[in-house]
Amino acid sequence: MLFIIHGNPVPSQRPRVARNGGVWDPKAAEKKRIRLEISKILEDRDGYVPFLKESPVEVHMYFYWPMPKKMPTRHADFIPHVKKPDLDNLSKTYLDCMNGLVWHDDAQVVCLVVHKYLSPNPRTEIHVRSFPSEGSV
């Protein structure tokens, strides 16, 4: 199953604490937008049922960041992005946003492959599939 979420990828950040002791997530609005996009994609796949709680899941994520203006766009989707944010902060956002929609909990993800590239078309592509059982490897 393929999910394409247009726009710049969204990394996770640590929760912030206000002077009055309140705690908030600085990326909450962006995470809500991502969950809505994932929900819309699932609605288009009529009758989709999340992976069972015991089902292992394999996920491949491709994060495409905007290119610098002076860089040529030829072969752009294959230029590695070697700057911040870190891959773990990127993947955490999207794994958490898929909880309850694609699977019950992101603890079901047993294989995670993550890539960062530059692109003239910033987006996030997420490929999700059932992890192959022992006999099919």
Side-chain angles (χ1 to χ4, degrees):
M1 173 178 332
L2 172 64
F3 297 89
I4 298 176
I5 299 151
H6 297 281
N8 291 349
V10 179
S12 282
Q13 289 185 345
R14 291 193 173 136
R16 304 287 185 228
V17 179
R19 290 183 181 150
N20 65 3
V23 179
W24 80 94
D25 181 355
K27 298 286 184 173
E30 291 177 86
K31 288 179 182 179
K32 186 175 183 179
R33 178 189 62 83
I34 292 167
R35 279 188 66 86
L36 278 172
E37 283 198 45
I38 292 168
S39 295
K40 287 177 186 175
I41 293 168
L42 291 173
E43 284 174 10
D44 292 342
R45 297 190 176 125
D46 197 30
Y48 175 78
V49 177
F51 287 94
L52 298 174
K53 286 183 182 180
E54 303 82 27
S55 299
V57 179
E58 180 177 340
V59 179
H60 292 251
M61 294 183 171
Y62 300 87
F63 297 104
Y64 296 94
W65 289 89
M67 297 181 60
K69 294 185 187 213
K70 294 183 180 181
M71 185 176 281
T73 59
R74 203 166 109 196
H75 308 295
D77 284 347
F78 301 104
I79 300 171
H81 179 52
V82 294
K83 296 182 180 179
K84 288 194 177 251
D86 300 342
L87 289 175
D88 56 334
N89 291 331
L90 286 166
S91 59
K92 180 169 178 38
T93 297
Y94 292 86
L95 292 173
D96 289 345
C97 286
M98 295 177 124
N99 282 344
L101 297 173
V102 179
W103 47 65
H104 291 278
D105 188 75
D106 56 350
Q108 291 174 250
V109 177
V110 297
C111 179
L112 177 63
V113 180
V114 185
H115 303 267
K116 288 191 310 185
Y117 297 107
L118 295 173
S119 172
N121 177 23
R123 66 196 181 279
T124 300
E125 293 181 7
I126 303 170
H127 302 263
V128 179
R129 71 178 192 146
S130 184
F131 189 74
S133 62
E134 241 179 79
S136 65
V137 176

